[in-house]
Amino acid sequence: KQKSYSLTSPLPADLLSTNRSSIFSGHHGQLTLTSVFLDEYRDRLFLGGKDVLYSLMLGPTSTESKELYWPPLPGNRENCIQTGKDPQTDCANFVRLLQPYNRTHLLACGTGAFQPMCAFVYVGHRGEHVFTIDPVNVENGRGKVPHDPSFRFASTFRGGELYTGLTADFLGRDSVIFRSMGGRSTMRTETDQKLLHDPKFIAAHVIPDNDDRDDDKVYFFFTEKASEPGDREGAIHTRVGRVCANDVGGQRVLVNKWSTFIKARLVCSVPGPHGIDTHFNQLEDVFLLRTKDERNPDVYAIFSTISNVFQGFAVCVYRMADIREAFNGPFAHKEGPDYQWGAYEGRVPYPRPGVCPSKITNQPGREFGSTKDFPDSVLQFARSHPLMWRPVFPALRRPVLVQANIPHKLQQIVVDRVEAEDGHYDVMFIGTNVGTVLKVITIQNGNSLETEEVTLEELHVFKQAIYVGSPAGVAQVKLHRCETYGKACAECCLARDPYCAWDGFTCAQYTPNNKRRYRRQGIRHGNPALQCVDQNLSDVDVTEDDVVYGTENNSTFLECVPRSPQASVSWLVQRDDRKEEVKLDDRVMATEQGLLFRHLLHEDEGVYICRSREHGFSQTLVRLSLQVLQGDAVDELMSRDNAGFSDSIKERSAGSYRAWMPCTAYRSGTSSHSRLWFKDIVQMIGPSNLPHVEEYCERMWCNDKLRRKHKSMLEKYRQAQESARKARSKSSGERNRMPRDLKARDV
Ligand SMILES: *[C@@H]1O[C@H](CO)[C@@H](O)[C@H](O)[C@H]1NC(C)=O
Ligand SMILES: *[C@@H]1O[C@H](CO)[C@@H](O)[C@H](O)[C@H]1NC(C)=O
Ligand SMILES: *[C@@H]1O[C@H](CO)[C@@H](O)[C@H](O)[C@H]1NC(C)=O
Ligand SMILES: *[C@@H]1O[C@H](CO)[C@@H](O)[C@H](O)[C@H]1NC(C)=O
Ligand SMILES: *[C@@H]1O[C@H](CO)[C@@H](O)[C@H](O)[C@H]1NC(C)=O
């Protein structure tokens, strides 16, 4: 479950200065982090930086680190400076690639002051903490990492061979897909804008097609300048391209060049007004969510679009079946420069370009042992038709997440799949350029096309589990912080975090037992009162409204911030048992933090109720009794300095923005406000909405064991209530009618 990735911006200083997280900043303070490899087998974290490599042994209590100094080869730094490059940001060995090589060694490659170089790092076996490099025995790193430390590139390792997509020359013009190392001769793409047009490589992955290793394909995710019609000059498109792992090029043409390279467009768009879709064309990051079926991982991708009117980010998910279908479909074709693009309708030579020579693809009597046996006509066709006609659309044809006009950029994504009986929840961790990590799930509603997204929390940096890197350092981030979801059972439920469950006392990490995993669906007879019956609900009616004082003609503020970022807030005011919506105008304004009275009038007095609404659930967050004081009354109160009374009034009156009244606080009269919070949920949603909450809670974290426990507690509770009722009125006419239709008052 642990994945690593790096952000490109510094961690916020406050995180580095607190004890809340475990942060590694290198042995000399500033770690210029440029690569990360989390070795789950060895429980080690390997980091590459500027002229340096680190190995961190991840123990349960402490982290032991070792450092290796790895500068450019002698003379290269000076040469680099002489060519006019920056000594600080260019002319050092920035380690860009860290890959497991064999059982004892890692492959490390760095920019070597614009002279890329690679070396094998001895890391030993599992359990031992060794870390050495032979600084003399280095290999040329050309084609393995870019010369320029700021250029993006993609790489993947398979069978001792390294596949890379990058610019492989000093000037940064030679954009290629390379295969190097291992025993075979080096392969590359031809220099041709049809194949790659100013590409920016984002990710590379080996994905098998079937059990025949000869059919394994290497996929590249990148952006390039668009060549298709209907796009303005310089438009960028995102592509998925692939080559066969057993491609060895042609015999007479395409010697040592890819003969199986094909590519298709990845579309990520949302329908807009007037039938014009908003396209997210710029690929930012890709995460391959591997499943048991190694042939069919889900491809998660972050896209951006930046225009004068709109700046947005989207996450789209692609299925391998859809990607393969595009590659099996027609080739894009253009008769000549003045013709339109269309689907190629002529005869496609055999073997079809993009197909690997293998047992499965061979037809009897027409067998090809290697791409060198391919007829010239196949190679010519492959060379002139690299692009597929049909694009690849995301699952459900729409993004799973869209964020528009936000103050930060979404840059990195990792996804954790939490399995459940009724399917799974994919929890996305999205790194932003301001050093935060968003944790988001999407919930699909039945079979409909609609998905709803829930931002669980915006993580800053905390402990364990996901490793967040930035140039300043590396931090561990816990996958969940269940304890922050409040202290009530219902809060835990409504937090909807698949990692969390109510354990009877707190909202805690859910650890599935081996036999039975979470039950989230299928049980329709629970309800939150059932789920949360171990809350002491007998005193829920004891509530007093907190009193807020304001002064006439002055401003005052009623604070109310919803717990969840998705909730919408409304204000009601109650006077003489009549509830109505608060009329908003220039004088009374709803802000994100609460209700602002710029000029308080006597008739504003009343009980103000702040309600949040989200996914059909309403709840009261705050009930405040606003009392308007005359000027002289205030003076009198202020001048009284006996008792805490006047302090509390000072604090609360006259435009105070102090957070003395957070949403959950019901301080007066009760010790536990969480109970009241729960009561409010039940009260506000009313009996008719209970099934929704029920269903919801069931789906979220109701396992059988917990349910049985709750059931027996509910039984006891019923009995207690029943005997109390009997004791009160000796009449027994009313039998056990406990409650599908629990009413708040009854609770
Ligand atoms: C941070 O942790 C260290 C070591 O555990 C401790 O000595 C120090 O007092 C802590 N600082 C704060 C602000 O809690
Ligand atoms: C791993 O590769 C390195 C570098 O080629 C080599 O020296 C070492 O012997 C290899 N180790 C094993 C276990 O194959
Ligand atoms: C529940 O509340 C009642 C009334 O306030 C109290 O008598 C009882 O001890 C409480 N039970 C628990 C388990 O807290
Ligand atoms: C509030 O303002 C009104 C009109 O501006 C004035 O008549 C009234 O006396 C003021 N009240 C106080 C308490 O200052
Ligand atoms: C109005 O509120 C401000 C800020 O709290 C305070 O300084 C001022 O004295 C108040 N005016 C009156 C008339 O109460």
Side-chain angles (χ1 to χ4, degrees):
K1 279 197 178 167
Q2 298 188 335
K3 295 288 182 298
S4 62
Y5 62 93
S6 76
L7 301 173
T8 57
S9 67
L11 297 170
D14 61 324
L15 287 169
L16 295 170
S17 63
T18 62
N19 268 3
R20 291 190 307 184
S21 44
S22 125
I23 291 171
F24 179 74
S25 312
H27 290 176
H28 316 287
Q30 182 78 357
L31 168 67
T32 314
L33 186 75
T34 47
S35 54
V36 178
F37 167 57
L38 182 64
D39 188 335
E40 295 181 47
Y41 173 70
R42 292 190 181 85
D43 283 330
R44 281 165 76 178
L45 185 65
F46 298 101
L47 309 175
K50 181 181 180 182
D51 298 333
V52 74
L53 288 161
Y54 285 102
S55 165
L56 276 63
M57 194 81 160
L58 304 172
T61 49
S62 66
T63 301
E64 179 192 311
S65 62
K66 286 185 192 292
E67 185 191 60
L68 286 176
Y69 177 57
W70 191 30
L73 291 174
N76 285 354
R77 192 190 302 275
E78 295 71 19
N79 290 345
C80 176
I81 294 169
Q82 267 171 22
T83 62
K85 304 281 180 197
D86 186 299
Q88 290 305 317
T89 59
D90 295 326
C91 299
N93 183 32
F94 294 92
V95 180
R96 301 292 307 278
L97 186 145
L98 286 171
Q99 292 266 2
Y101 182 68
N102 62 22
R103 279 164 51 207
T104 51
H105 284 72
L106 292 187
L107 172 68
C109 299
T111 58
F114 268 74
Q115 295 277 335
M117 59 175 181
C118 295
F120 295 101
V121 183
Y122 180 57
V123 295
H125 295 278
R126 185 178 154 87
E128 51 181 340
H129 197 186
V130 291
F131 196 50
T132 58
I133 192 171
D134 181 356
V136 182
N137 196 6
V138 296
E139 296 195 354
N140 191 335
R142 194 179 172 121
K144 302 186 181 81
V145 291
H147 294 59
D148 189 325
S150 69
F151 282 13
R152 284 195 75 155
F153 80 112
S155 70
T156 186
F157 207 69
R158 175 192 176 275
E161 294 175 307
L162 182 69
Y163 295 80
T164 47
L166 79 175
T167 53
D169 62 337
F170 184 89
L171 293 175
R173 288 183 189 156
D174 185 22
S175 298
V176 293
I177 291 173
F178 252 113
R179 183 179 66 208
S180 54
M181 308 184 66
R184 299 188 282 187
S185 52
T186 298
M187 291 283 294
R188 57 162 295 156
T189 25
E190 268 197 303
T191 308
D192 181 350
Q193 289 191 345
K194 258 207 222 87
L195 299 169
L196 297 170
H197 194 179
D198 288 345
K200 188 171 102 179
F201 289 95
I202 305 297
H205 295 284
V206 179
I207 303 171
D209 251 4
N210 49 54
D211 291 336
D212 189 347
R213 289 284 80 88
D214 274 342
D215 260 344
D216 283 4
K217 295 180 177 76
V218 185
Y219 289 82
F220 289 86
F221 298 89
F222 59 100
T223 59
E224 67 172 349
K225 288 206 177 124
S227 53
E228 292 97 318
D231 276 296
R232 47 183 213 294
E233 193 72 16
I236 296 292
H237 280 181
T238 290
R239 308 278 191 214
V240 52
R242 72 173 200 202
V243 292
C244 291
N246 67 359
D247 192 339
V248 289
Q251 188 71 41
R252 284 171 299 274
V253 288
L254 292 179
V255 177
N256 293 331
K257 309 252 169 65
W258 299 110
S259 62
T260 56
F261 176 73
I262 47 175
K263 62 183 179 181
R265 182 179 177 188
L266 283 180
V267 171
C268 183
S269 64
V270 288
H274 320 298
I276 298 166
D277 291 357
T278 298
H279 278 272
F280 298 83
N281 282 331
Q282 181 74 49
L283 184 64
E284 300 289 340
D285 194 32
V286 168
F287 180 80
L288 211 63
L289 181 63
R290 303 247 179 209
T291 59
K292 280 196 204 81
D293 178 2
E294 60 169 352
R295 294 163 302 171
N296 290 302
D298 282 344
V299 180
Y300 274 79
I302 298 182
F303 293 83
S304 66
T305 180
I306 293 161
S307 71
N308 293 338
V309 287
F310 181 73
Q311 170 178 333
F313 292 85
V315 176
C316 279
V317 187
Y318 301 91
R319 308 263 181 256
M320 283 311 296
D322 295 331
I323 292 176
R324 291 192 181 103
E325 194 177 294
F327 285 134
N328 291 336
F331 292 90
H333 178 74
K334 198 169 163 161
E335 207 58 53
D338 300 330
Y339 287 78
Q340 294 282 309
W341 281 95
Y344 180 75
E345 280 164 357
R347 200 188 70 85
V348 175
Y350 179 86
R352 182 187 156 91
V355 167
C356 312
S358 75
K359 284 183 221 67
I360 285 178
T361 54
N362 274 339
Q363 288 179 5
R366 304 175 73 187
E367 280 154 21
F368 297 93
S370 110
T371 55
K372 287 201 166 142
D373 303 334
F374 282 178
D376 284 354
S377 59
V378 169
L379 305 182
Q380 300 291 7
F381 188 92
R383 180 187 236 174
S384 55
H385 294 88
L387 180 65
M388 308 314 299
W389 171 242
R390 289 196 199 119
V392 184
F393 291 100
L396 305 176
R397 286 226 164 200
R398 57 190 292 282
V400 292
L401 176 74
V402 175
Q403 298 216 324
N405 297 324
I406 47 172
H408 51 259
K409 294 181 173 158
L410 307 187
Q411 292 189 319
Q412 304 269 338
I413 183 167
V414 292
V415 183
D416 185 26
R417 177 160 292 179
V418 185
E419 291 295 339
E421 277 194 357
D422 59 344
H424 58 255
Y425 293 89
D426 288 351
V427 182
M428 295 181 268
F429 295 89
I430 299 174
T432 69
N433 67 329
V434 293
T436 60
V437 180
L438 307 172
K439 180 178 169 189
V440 182
I441 54 169
T442 60
I443 298 168
Q444 205 174 310
N445 295 319
N447 293 325
S448 81
L449 285 178
E450 288 295 304
T451 56
E452 74 182 89
E453 68 205 37
V454 179
T455 304
L456 298 172
E457 51 188 320
E458 190 162 334
L459 293 173
H460 294 258
V461 183
F462 286 86
K463 290 176 214 135
Q464 300 172 49
I466 105 166
Y467 290 86
V468 181
S470 82
V474 176
Q476 293 181 311
V477 185
K478 255 206 227 173
L479 293 175
H480 47 77
R481 294 189 295 137
C482 304
E483 65 281 4
T484 61
Y485 293 135
K487 297 197 166 51
C489 176
E491 285 180 293
C492 187
C493 164
L494 290 170
R496 305 174 178 221
D497 190 325
Y499 292 113
C500 305
W502 183 253
D503 67 2
F505 304 97
T506 56
C507 193
Q509 180 188 3
Y510 173 72
T511 27
N513 59 36
N514 297 335
K515 295 243 168 64
R516 267 193 108 65
R517 309 209 69 177
Y518 262 24
R519 281 193 77 96
R520 291 193 174 86
Q521 219 169 28
I523 317 159
R524 302 280 163 188
H525 42 75
N527 66 38
L530 174 66
Q531 302 313 322
C532 303
V533 73
D534 46 355
Q535 288 284 309
N536 192 347
L537 299 171
S538 55
D539 58 353
V540 289
D541 279 335
V542 193
T543 178
E544 292 163 22
D545 300 328
D546 254 286
V547 181
V548 183
Y549 297 93
T551 39
E552 197 177 358
N553 292 349
N554 213 330
S555 63
T556 201
F557 187 69
L558 307 182
E559 180 172 325
C560 177
V561 183
R563 193 174 281 275
S564 153
Q566 286 85 27
S568 63
V569 166
S570 63
W571 285 92
L572 299 177
V573 61
Q574 183 174 351
R575 294 186 193 97
D576 313 325
D577 282 339
R578 248 183 330 108
K579 261 189 215 159
E580 57 185 14
E581 254 189 73
V582 174
K583 287 192 193 70
L584 301 173
D585 51 30
D586 280 355
R587 192 179 64 81
V588 185
M589 300 166 74
T591 73
E592 270 179 32
Q593 286 80 35
L595 196 62
L596 175 66
F597 293 84
R598 296 172 69 187
H599 180 89
L600 200 58
L601 302 179
H602 188 69
E603 50 267 37
D604 289 329
E605 271 198 353
V607 175
Y608 285 80
I609 301 156
C610 169
R611 293 179 21 162
S612 79
R613 185 168 184 85
E614 180 182 2
H615 309 296
F617 305 116
S618 287
Q619 54 165 296
T620 295
L621 299 175
V622 176
R623 280 174 65 95
L624 299 170
S625 172
L626 175 64
Q627 308 218 344
V628 179
L629 304 174
Q630 308 290 317
D632 46 355
V634 179
D635 291 345
E636 195 198 326
L637 282 167
M638 292 295 191
S639 63
R640 253 200 251 164
D641 56 1
N642 57 348
F645 178 63
S646 78
D647 282 347
S648 107
I649 288 187
K650 272 182 204 160
E651 198 179 281
R652 293 173 183 197
S653 64
S656 162
Y657 281 65
R658 287 275 308 278
W660 53 266
M661 186 70 219
C663 301
T664 48
Y666 287 81
R667 293 183 302 178
S668 57
T670 58
S671 53
S672 163
H673 39 73
S674 51
R675 290 171 207 160
L676 303 172
W677 189 91
F678 171 69
K679 176 216 149 194
D680 276 324
I681 292 186
V682 178
Q683 207 164 45
M684 294 315 294
I685 60 176
S688 63
N689 276 327
L690 269 175
H692 295 303
V693 178
E694 259 165 54
E695 186 182 324
Y696 182 67
C697 293
E698 285 288 351
R699 279 177 54 206
M700 272 302 146
W701 44 258
C702 194
N703 65 30
D704 272 359
K705 203 169 145 202
L706 216 73
R707 197 164 57 85
R708 279 198 297 274
K709 186 174 145 201
H710 286 156
K711 210 167 173 178
S712 73
M713 292 185 73
L714 180 65
E715 210 46 57
K716 281 185 202 148
Y717 176 74
R718 283 179 190 175
Q719 285 163 6
Q721 262 219 342
E722 194 56 28
S723 47
R725 189 179 296 156
K726 277 181 185 155
R728 272 201 305 275
S729 71
K730 298 246 161 77
S731 142
S732 61
E734 213 181 313
R735 290 247 170 82
N736 282 0
R737 282 183 60 249
M738 217 24 211
R740 267 281 315 163
D741 53 343
L742 263 187
K743 289 198 182 90
R745 298 278 163 212
D746 297 331
V747 173

